[in-house]
Amino acid sequence: MRLIALTALVMAAFAANSVLNRAAVAAGEIGALDFALVRAVAGAAVLVLLIRIRHGSVPLLQPRRILGGAMLTTYLVGFSVAYLAMDAGLGALILFGGVQVTMFAGALLLGERPPARRWAGAGLALAGLAWLVWPGAAAVTPLWAVAAMAAAAAGWGVYSLIGRGSADPLGDTGAAFVWATVACFMAVLVKTGGATANDASLAGLALAVTSGAVTSGLGYALWYAVLPRIGASVAGLVQLSVPVIAALGGVVFLAEAPTLRMIGAGALVIGGIAWGLWPQRTSGSKAS
């Protein structure tokens, strides 16, 4: 039960990240790369502080931590850049569909054999996600935005797969954010020629800091703590719940009106996830 609660909390943090990013970048409160940079800096600052409080260190040159930082950077930059020209619904479909594909592929490469029920549940949940977001994706989307979100999906999927072997979730996440901070800073310098966050409003900076320090930094550390206890295919499947949680958050916090499509699609996604996670009955078990 505790594992379920922690996983649900992580999914809520992921959903909040989507809302915060859209509110900041799409509304023009801060540039996409500036948002990614501030997000990385805030996450790194909070995580390194927590590590220092427990009298720990943050070794950066371990190969898995370097790779984790590269994958986290790919996700942060791709995610922010894609939303410059992409509808939130289509972005969610590409991101979480891509994450699911990446993690199921990783599960197979790692020797995991997801049962047929999990494949069926994943397909059902993905169909529900498509139904939930597709009507909002009718506008023409530039190919570069699609490619950026696809890269973000692959980056996050690999980052999550790396986390399955984490023995120090806080340290691994902190190191990844430090590397991401360096990479995002260099990306901003290349793009702007040395100027950073020139047009960022206080609201945009606040949203980026909140995303980095709370829903990203602490949320990702918790995700790395959860990952070793669940399979890669399960991790990919449960993340399909994030757009549904984000839609529910819009109803609760932004006074958005729920629709029958939202309710039906949400039920399909949750039903698919539940079906995919339902324990397999062994051949020797008896019906009660």
Side-chain angles (χ1 to χ4, degrees):
M1 184 60 69
R2 183 171 179 269
L3 180 59
I4 295 174
L6 290 176
T7 304
L9 180 60
V10 173
M11 296 305 105
F14 291 172
N17 271 329
S18 294
V19 175
L20 291 168
N21 190 92
R22 285 288 295 172
V25 176
E29 298 291 345
I30 189 172
L33 288 179
D34 291 328
F35 183 92
L37 173 60
V38 174
R39 184 179 176 186
V41 169
V46 168
L47 291 168
V48 171
L49 176 61
L50 291 176
I51 293 169
R52 296 303 299 167
I53 288 175
R54 70 175 191 181
H55 305 292
S57 59
V58 190
L60 298 176
L61 298 180
Q62 298 174 3
R64 61 176 290 111
R65 291 187 169 185
I66 295 174
L67 180 59
M71 292 300 99
L72 181 60
T73 301
T74 301
Y75 163 71
L76 291 175
V77 174
F79 184 82
S80 294
V81 169
Y83 273 137
L84 285 172
M86 180 173 287
D87 176 85
L90 180 58
L93 181 60
I94 295 173
L95 177 63
F96 292 102
V99 167
Q100 187 182 50
V101 170
T102 302
M103 297 204 69
F104 266 71
L108 294 175
L109 291 174
L110 293 171
E112 184 180 334
R113 294 296 178 262
R117 182 191 293 269
R118 191 163 301 154
W119 287 100
L124 187 64
L126 191 57
L129 176 60
W131 182 22
L132 175 67
V133 304
W134 191 255
V140 176
T141 302
L143 183 59
W144 61 262
V146 174
M149 190 60 84
W156 180 256
V158 175
Y159 178 75
S160 295
L161 290 170
I162 294 171
R164 291 195 62 212
S166 177
D168 180 12
L170 198 62
D172 286 345
T173 309
F177 268 88
V178 171
W179 281 115
T181 295
V182 174
C184 288
F185 183 70
M186 293 178 64
V188 170
L189 288 181
V190 169
K191 179 178 181 295
T192 63
T196 61
N198 287 336
D199 300 321
S201 68
L202 288 177
L205 291 172
L207 290 168
V209 169
T210 302
S211 177
V214 182
T215 56
S216 293
L218 298 180
Y220 294 0
L222 184 57
W223 182 230
Y224 259 35
V226 168
L227 278 167
R229 302 167 64 184
I230 60 178
S233 61
V234 171
L237 179 59
V238 296
Q239 289 183 83
L240 289 176
S241 66
V242 173
V244 177
I245 299 172
L248 179 61
V251 172
V252 174
F253 297 108
L254 302 177
E256 296 175 354
T259 65
L260 290 177
R261 177 177 59 83
M262 181 188 299
I263 295 171
L268 193 59
V269 172
I270 300 303
I273 293 172
W275 176 258
L277 297 181
W278 198 264
Q280 292 282 96
R281 179 180 298 174
T282 60
S283 57
S285 64
K286 295 181 180 180
S288 58

